[in-house]
Amino acid sequence: MEYSLLTYVYNLRTPILSTIMLAITTLSQYQWGAVVVVIAAIAMAQKNRRISLIFVCSVLASCLINYLLKNIFQVPRPNIMPMENLHDFSFPSGHAMNNLVLYGSLAIITRNKLVWIWTILWVLLIGASRIYLGSHYVVDVIAGYVLGSVILLLVRKYLSQEKLRD
C-alpha cells in the first residue's frame, strides 16, 4: 500500500510543483532553522532567559533524538523515483519533527494564534514535500509529527510549571 501511495504522489509531479516542493524543503533545512532559533532565542532572552533556554533546548533535543533514532532504526530511504540524492536514513523525518518542534515551541511560548496557524500549515507542507520528493515514506513523516508532538507536550508542561513558580 505504501508503494502505491508513493507512486500516486510521484505521478502528480509537474515542473512547477517540483520547484515549489524543493523550495519548501530547502527553507526547512537545518541552517534556516538555526537562523530562526538564534534570532528567536536572542529576542526571548531579552524578556526571560529561562524560556529562551527551554526553547533552544527543545530544538536541540529534537535534533539529537531524531539523529539517534535514525541511527537506531537505519531505515533506508525510498528508492522509487527520488528527486534528492540523500545518503542518510529515512525514519523518522527530521524535517517534519524538527520544524514542528521549532515552530510549535515558538507558538507555545508566544501564545500567538497566527504562529500556530503558520506552524500547522508549514509543517504539513514540509511533510508533503518530503514525500513528494521521494525522500521519505509516509510513515517517516507521521513518526516525525508524533515524536515532535511529544516533545511539544513536554515543553508545554514544563513551561506551565515554570509559570506556576513565577
Side-chain angles (χ1 to χ4, degrees), residues 51-117:
I51 289 177
S52 178
L53 183 62
I54 292 165
F55 168 69
V56 170
C57 287
S58 70
V59 175
L60 291 176
S62 179
C63 293
L64 178 63
I65 291 166
N66 185 267
Y67 174 81
L68 291 172
L69 290 174
K70 281 183 183 287
N71 286 288
I72 288 169
F73 291 108
Q74 298 187 358
V75 175
R77 291 193 181 265
N79 196 16
I80 314 166
M81 300 167 46
M83 293 181 69
E84 293 183 302
N85 190 15
L86 302 171
H87 302 290
D88 62 339
F89 298 113
S90 182
F91 181 87
S93 168
H95 277 78
M97 181 175 170
N98 297 331
N99 279 277
L100 176 60
V101 172
L102 168 59
Y103 294 106
S105 293
L106 284 175
I108 290 168
I109 290 165
T110 63
R111 298 182 190 173
N112 185 309
K113 289 181 185 177
L114 289 177
V115 177
W116 271 116
I117 292 168

Side-chain angles (χ1 to χ4, degrees), residues 9-10 13 18 21-22 25 80-84 128-136:
V9 170
Y10 300 158
R13 289 178 175 168
S18 295
M21 292 300 187
L22 282 167
T25 282
I80 314 166
M81 300 167 46
M83 293 181 69
E84 293 183 302
S129 76
R130 303 308 291 154
I131 295 165
Y132 178 94
L133 296 171
S135 302
H136 284 288

